[in-house]
Amino acid sequence: MKNVVSVGLLGLGTVGCGVAHIIKDHQEELQHQTGCAIHIKKALVQHLEKERDVQLDPSKLTLHAEEVLFDPEIDVIVEVMGGIEQTRQYVLDALRHKKHVVTANKDLIALHGAELLQAAQDNGCDLYYEASVAGGIPIIRSLVEGLASDRIVKIMGIVNGTTNYILTKMSKEGATYEDALREAQELGYAEADPSADVEGWDAARKMAILSTLGFLTNVELDDVSVQGISQVTAEDIAYCSKLGYTMKLIGIAQRDKGRIEVSVQPALLPHDHPLAAVSNEYNAVYVYGESVGETMFYGPGAGQLPTATAVVSDLVTVVKHMRLGVSGRSMVAPLYDKQLKKDEEIFSKYFLRLHVKDKTGAFATITSLFSEHGVSLERILQLPLKEAGLAEVVIMTHQTNKKAFDDVCRALAKLDVIQAIKSRYRVEGEL
Amino acid sequence: MKNVVSVGLLGLGTVGCGVAHIIKDHQEELQHQTGCAIHIKKALVQHLEKERDVQLDPSKLTLHAEEVLFDPEIDVIVEVMGGIEQTRQYVLDALRHKKHVVTANKDLIALHGAELLQAAQDNGCDLYYEASVAGGIPIIRSLVEGLASDRIVKIMGIVNGTTNYILTKMSKEGATYEDALREAQELGYAEADPSADVEGWDAARKMAILSTLGFLTNVELDDVSVQGISQVTAEDIAYCSKLGYTMKLIGIAQRDKGRIEVSVQPALLPHDHPLAAVSNEYNAVYVYGESVGETMFYGPGAGQLPTATAVVSDLVTVVKHMRLGVSGRSMVAPLYDKQLKKDEEIFSKYFLRLHVKDKTGAFATITSLFSEHGVSLERILQLPLKEAGLAEVVIMTHQTNKKAFDDVCRALAKLDVIQAIKSRYRVEGEL
């Protein structure tokens, strides 16, 4: 049995340095847990001379991927370089050379997870990716093992810290979207080009990963319906709050009788929902299991050390498996064929904000249109607007299906009395 | 390799029936995950004829423990009968007969965990006990594996549903302790004799288990300092709330430079602390890791199906280990010698409520006594009482050590101007 496990790093940026730091600083505990020493043998970098916040012997740095991937002494590859196509090739190469892989790369797993997991199994290797979803929260492990005996019915996640930070600022301080985004950028929570975060694509990738594991079926990125937060206004947030709700960018994955839906959208949650209290850049994943009921897992969604902790915890698992001789056997293969719900089968309440021309009978026209489509209303607020001749109407529907609500919105848009549909949001949970 | 794993149940009460129900109802998923069928072969019961909410062939029921423990075909014993001495003997017998054990019994693990885990290892068997702490929350797995690479600094837990229900009722509805307890008893959340819950002993057992795992040292029940909630009054709760805090029965386990403290007590948490929002009978465990920072795990702390889910998830792990041939190797042996903090090393803020005789100079006498002991004050409220000649004084200290605060309290009790020390609580976290 090996007494030293050699690790090759692909990437030595923020997370890579965090991994190197934890491996060095926690060596005693890691040895205690795994029964052997863990050391970094090589790290692929882009610049040999760059200043880094971790001490690693310069001889361990290389500009050539093959020196990491094909080194026969390296047992485990830790992929923290990001990117998709090049990285996919590196990971495949590593697996074919019988090296276990730990990755923090959600894009890679969301797009190529099935292929990579198959390659891992074919080569008797482990492939772990806890850090790819919700950084420091051990959510993948909890889904796959902790709730292994349950049938998971619903997963709701705040899985993007940038958008949660922005919406928290808007909710708690009345900030505009633009100001909150600028602040997030200044603090380093948002990229210069924030689209992947604010348009919901990052959250969609994570939800594809979580729903694949939770529902034992192969959910792909294209199966996720996505709406971002860039259209959310301070007015929307103020109305939500007035109605007793908090606005969050929520990934929702739901399963009924074998049929699933996965979506990401700004949605309204009752103030006392466990997810509503998740503020700033924090993440949380709410899991509803048929037997266990409500559970929630909360923690940092990103950051150097939280992400590195998840990577090194995976590394511990991989090393234990190596020593026990059980690598490559822990795969969760899909059990069910994927059956996506049609819009008619997706039920929720909705919030709708309209600008309505102040004409006699306008209100009756609108409400009878809802009734024609079989959508009943739970609450209506009508308020005068500063702009003469216009009123603001805020509507909360009862439970309805997505198709009916879309139809209503299309029909509303054609009404002469409607000046504009200002916003529409899904509403989750009961007040 | 076995195609069928046979389980013996010790006990077929609420949780036992839940386990039987899940094994039957989720057979397909369980087979998919473990690669083999799982069936219940025998169940030890107290009454053969009793009405139960699960269908189990009457021939599988037995009144004789040895028919379960010594059946050579039984691979795994699931202990859901409760109790301590008799149960300890059964579990030891099972392990000596090379049967793996899954238990939901916190009392057993808190008192005899070290001995039983040693016996498991000596016999090459698994012993798992996820359900013993916080029912449906996979917290043990998260501590041992999910945060395996981190150094855990602090664990705070709401790990007793009964007391959390009572304190929630008192906080949200202004109920008295007696009324809230009665309601909890009517709903079945509290026993007829509620002492194990309300005096904090149940929480203490769970904290001993969590801190043993989190700090890699052998924490015993006697190491936990325990105070219950039976002295908490509606007045205390009202003052907490006025100061911006929520009262919870909190288990606190903390480690500084290798020295630890473990305690259970009613304590004040800022309203926006993640644990403050955990209401009613729900449980949550807050874990602070050196690298990961703040995480929290939330869910049902008890109940038939949540507890049974945790038991069956452990069973899935045990069956996987059997099939992989790696049973009995996953033990977490203590790494560190136990070093308990002295009172001088335990720091927190405190809340103190006094009834003070309304005499000239009383206030000065009290505050100078604090200052003599080196305890500085963050906030003071003084209010007149209905009772003539008395004032109510509420004090919040700055961070101080437990010894200094205890000394102050002892000295206060001797002062002529103090009519009574009405209550004193630890305060956690910053507003």
Side-chain angles (χ1 to χ4, degrees):
Chain A
M1 210 181 274
K2 284 199 161 210
N3 288 319
V4 181
V5 165
S6 295
V7 174
L9 287 178
L10 296 178
L12 193 57
T14 308
V15 176
C17 286
V19 170
H21 169 78
I22 291 179
I23 288 178
K24 187 164 172 239
D25 190 43
H26 293 195
Q27 188 60 226
E28 186 191 3
E29 287 101 329
L30 295 176
Q31 287 202 28
H32 175 71
Q33 286 177 62
T34 60
C36 69
I38 298 177
H39 84 119
I40 294 174
K41 180 146 192 259
K42 279 277 175 198
L44 174 67
V45 297
Q46 286 185 297
H47 307 281
L48 292 174
E49 305 296 333
K50 194 177 147 187
E51 189 90 21
R52 293 186 173 85
D53 69 352
V54 67
Q55 291 299 323
L56 211 61
D57 191 324
S59 70
K60 296 186 171 180
L61 305 186
T62 174
L63 299 169
H64 309 290
E66 59 275 19
E67 287 189 23
V68 183
L69 297 172
F70 305 147
D71 182 328
E73 282 181 19
I74 286 180
D75 308 289
V76 189
I77 298 290
V78 169
E79 185 277 295
V80 284
M81 60 187 273
I84 299 177
E85 273 318 311
Q86 176 73 86
T87 316
R88 167 177 163 271
Q89 200 51 59
Y90 286 170
V91 169
L92 286 172
D93 284 345
L95 293 169
R96 286 182 194 130
H97 282 78
K98 314 291 178 202
K99 297 185 192 318
H100 311 289
V101 175
V102 174
T103 173
N105 190 328
K106 68 183 167 295
D107 304 331
L108 184 70
I109 296 295
L111 290 170
H112 302 296
E115 177 195 13
L116 297 176
L117 286 163
Q118 188 61 55
Q121 198 180 33
D122 293 345
N123 288 285
C125 290
D126 275 344
L127 171 60
Y128 278 81
Y129 49 97
E130 180 67 73
S132 68
V133 180
I137 310 175
I139 180 62
I140 289 181
R141 212 174 282 270
S142 297
L143 275 181
V144 173
E145 296 173 12
L147 302 173
S149 67
D150 203 358
R151 203 169 282 144
I152 292 167
V153 172
K154 188 168 191 174
I155 303 171
M156 291 208 287
I158 295 177
V159 288
N160 179 272
T162 309
T163 48
N164 203 44
Y165 182 85
I166 293 171
L167 292 176
T168 302
K169 281 281 146 183
M170 292 176 73
S171 298
K172 292 206 176 158
E173 299 170 15
T176 63
Y177 170 76
E178 290 73 19
D179 288 346
L181 171 59
R182 197 173 313 117
E183 198 180 322
Q185 285 170 324
E186 283 163 12
L187 288 167
Y189 293 154
E191 309 280 332
D193 172 3
S195 0
D197 291 319
V198 301
E199 299 307 340
W201 307 329
D202 173 87
R205 289 171 176 192
K206 293 166 180 166
M207 290 308 296
I209 297 174
L210 291 180
S211 50
T212 293
L213 295 171
F215 298 157
L216 304 173
T217 192
N218 187 24
V219 178
E220 289 164 289
L221 202 47
D222 284 345
D223 302 325
V224 187
S225 104
V226 187
Q227 185 197 342
I229 65 160
S230 55
Q231 308 300 316
V232 175
T233 64
E235 289 77 29
D236 292 332
I237 302 254
Y239 279 115
C240 290
S241 178
K242 202 177 287 181
L243 292 166
Y245 290 89
T246 306
M247 171 99 67
K248 295 285 179 191
L249 183 76
I250 302 282
I252 301 176
Q254 205 155 357
R255 171 162 66 165
D256 297 296
K257 305 190 190 80
R259 297 175 76 84
I260 64 166
E261 66 133 326
V262 187
S263 61
V264 168
Q265 62 271 295
L268 279 61
L269 292 171
H271 286 325
D272 63 356
H273 191 283
L275 285 175
V278 176
S279 297
N280 297 319
E281 76 281 15
Y282 275 88
N283 282 15
V285 181
Y286 169 99
V287 180
Y288 192 94
E290 214 172 73
S291 301
V292 78
E294 291 191 318
T295 60
M296 190 181 79
F297 304 86
Y298 167 96
Q304 180 183 37
L305 291 178
T307 309
T309 299
V311 169
V312 182
S313 293
D314 274 352
L315 185 57
V316 167
T317 301
V318 169
V319 174
K320 282 185 185 170
H321 287 181
M322 284 173 58
R323 289 178 62 83
L324 296 173
V326 295
S327 303
R329 305 198 207 165
S330 45
M331 227 191 108
V332 183
L335 171 61
Y336 302 109
D337 286 339
K338 181 168 61 191
Q339 292 195 288
L340 294 175
K341 285 189 194 180
K342 301 200 182 82
D343 282 358
E344 292 91 319
E345 299 170 300
I346 298 175
F347 284 83
S348 74
K349 296 180 175 192
Y350 287 94
F351 166 105
L352 184 68
R353 185 161 69 89
L354 307 168
H355 280 186
V356 176
K357 292 176 194 159
D358 215 352
K359 287 186 181 163
T360 314
F363 213 76
T365 312
I366 293 169
T367 50
S368 61
L369 194 144
F370 273 89
S371 132
E372 280 163 31
H373 286 84
V375 177
S376 63
L377 306 182
E378 184 183 293
R379 281 206 271 181
I380 306 178
L381 297 178
Q382 178 169 354
L383 301 115
L385 280 172
K386 278 180 200 151
E387 220 175 314
L390 280 185
E392 183 144 67
V393 175
V394 172
I395 288 170
M396 179 90 79
T397 72
H398 280 296
Q399 289 279 344
T400 183
N401 72 68
K402 185 166 185 304
K403 178 170 185 309
F405 186 70
D406 286 344
D407 288 346
V408 169
C409 290
R410 262 191 298 274
L412 283 171
K414 288 182 195 155
L415 284 187
D416 185 46
V417 295
I418 302 284
Q419 195 250 0
I421 295 180
K422 301 300 285 183
S423 56
R424 43 173 289 184
Y425 300 108
R426 188 163 167 168
V427 179
E428 281 294 313
E430 296 296 325
L431 273 193
Chain B
M1 210 181 271
K2 283 200 162 211
N3 287 319
V4 181
V5 164
S6 296
V7 174
L9 287 179
L10 296 179
L12 193 56
T14 308
V15 176
C17 285
V19 169
H21 169 79
I22 292 178
I23 289 178
K24 188 165 171 238
D25 191 43
H26 293 195
Q27 189 60 226
E28 186 191 3
E29 287 100 329
L30 295 176
Q31 287 202 28
H32 175 70
Q33 287 179 61
T34 60
C36 69
I38 298 177
H39 84 121
I40 293 174
K41 179 141 193 266
K42 279 278 174 195
L44 174 67
V45 298
Q46 286 184 298
H47 306 282
L48 292 174
E49 305 296 333
K50 194 176 148 188
E51 190 89 20
R52 293 185 174 86
D53 70 351
V54 67
Q55 292 300 325
L56 213 61
D57 190 325
S59 70
K60 296 186 171 180
L61 305 185
T62 173
L63 299 169
H64 308 291
E66 59 275 17
E67 288 188 23
V68 182
L69 297 172
F70 306 148
D71 182 327
E73 283 180 18
I74 287 179
D75 307 289
V76 189
I77 297 291
V78 169
E79 186 277 296
V80 283
M81 59 187 274
I84 300 177
E85 272 318 312
Q86 175 74 83
T87 316
R88 167 178 163 271
Q89 199 51 57
Y90 286 169
V91 169
L92 286 172
D93 284 344
L95 293 168
R96 286 183 194 130
H97 282 78
K98 313 291 179 202
K99 297 186 192 316
H100 311 291
V101 175
V102 173
T103 173
N105 190 329
K106 65 182 170 298
D107 304 330
L108 184 70
I109 296 296
L111 290 169
H112 302 296
E115 176 195 13
L116 298 176
L117 286 162
Q118 189 59 54
Q121 199 179 32
D122 293 345
N123 288 284
C125 289
D126 276 345
L127 170 61
Y128 277 82
Y129 49 96
E130 180 66 75
S132 68
V133 180
I137 311 174
I139 180 62
I140 289 181
R141 213 174 281 269
S142 297
L143 275 180
V144 173
E145 298 174 10
L147 303 172
S149 68
D150 203 359
R151 203 168 283 145
I152 291 167
V153 171
K154 189 168 189 173
I155 302 171
M156 291 208 287
I158 296 177
V159 288
N160 179 273
T162 308
T163 48
N164 202 45
Y165 182 85
I166 292 172
L167 292 176
T168 303
K169 281 281 147 182
M170 292 176 74
S171 298
K172 293 207 175 157
E173 298 171 15
T176 62
Y177 170 75
E178 290 72 19
D179 287 346
L181 171 59
R182 197 172 314 116
E183 199 180 321
Q185 285 169 324
E186 282 162 12
L187 288 167
Y189 293 154
E191 308 279 332
D193 174 3
S195 5
D197 291 318
V198 301
E199 299 306 342
W201 306 329
D202 173 86
R205 290 173 174 189
K206 293 165 179 168
M207 290 308 296
I209 297 173
L210 291 180
S211 50
T212 293
L213 295 170
F215 297 158
L216 305 173
T217 190
N218 187 25
V219 178
E220 288 164 290
L221 201 49
D222 284 345
D223 302 325
V224 186
S225 103
V226 186
Q227 185 197 344
I229 65 162
S230 56
Q231 308 300 315
V232 175
T233 65
E235 290 78 28
D236 292 333
I237 303 255
Y239 279 114
C240 289
S241 178
K242 201 175 288 182
L243 292 165
Y245 289 89
T246 305
M247 170 100 67
K248 294 285 180 192
L249 183 75
I250 302 282
I252 301 175
Q254 205 156 355
R255 170 163 66 167
D256 297 296
K257 306 190 189 77
R259 297 174 75 83
I260 64 167
E261 66 133 327
V262 187
S263 61
V264 168
Q265 62 272 298
L268 279 60
L269 292 170
H271 286 324
D272 63 356
H273 191 283
L275 285 176
V278 176
S279 297
N280 297 320
E281 76 281 16
Y282 275 88
N283 282 15
V285 181
Y286 170 100
V287 180
Y288 193 93
E290 211 172 76
S291 301
V292 78
E294 289 192 319
T295 61
M296 189 180 79
F297 305 85
Y298 165 95
Q304 180 184 37
L305 291 177
T307 309
T309 300
V311 169
V312 182
S313 293
D314 275 353
L315 185 57
V316 166
T317 302
V318 169
V319 173
K320 282 185 183 168
H321 287 181
M322 282 174 57
R323 289 178 62 84
L324 297 172
V326 295
S327 302
R329 306 201 206 162
S330 46
M331 226 191 111
V332 183
L335 171 61
Y336 301 111
D337 287 339
K338 180 169 61 192
Q339 292 194 289
L340 294 175
K341 286 189 192 179
K342 299 199 181 84
D343 282 358
E344 291 92 319
E345 300 170 300
I346 299 175
F347 284 84
S348 74
K349 296 181 174 190
Y350 286 94
F351 166 105
L352 184 68
R353 184 162 69 89
L354 307 168
H355 279 186
V356 176
K357 292 175 193 159
D358 214 352
K359 287 188 180 163
T360 313
F363 213 75
T365 313
I366 293 170
T367 51
S368 61
L369 194 145
F370 273 90
S371 131
E372 281 163 30
H373 286 84
V375 177
S376 64
L377 306 183
E378 184 183 292
R379 281 205 274 180
I380 305 178
L381 297 178
Q382 179 170 351
L383 300 115
L385 279 173
K386 278 181 200 149
E387 221 176 313
L390 280 185
E392 184 145 65
V393 174
V394 172
I395 288 170
M396 179 91 78
T397 72
H398 279 297
Q399 290 278 345
T400 183
N401 71 67
K402 186 167 184 304
K403 179 172 184 307
F405 186 71
D406 285 344
D407 288 346
V408 170
C409 289
R410 260 192 299 274
L412 282 171
K414 287 182 195 153
L415 284 186
D416 185 45
V417 295
I418 301 285
Q419 194 249 0
I421 295 180
K422 300 300 286 183
S423 57
R424 43 175 289 185
Y425 300 109
R426 188 161 167 169
V427 179
E428 282 293 314
E430 295 297 324
L431 272 194

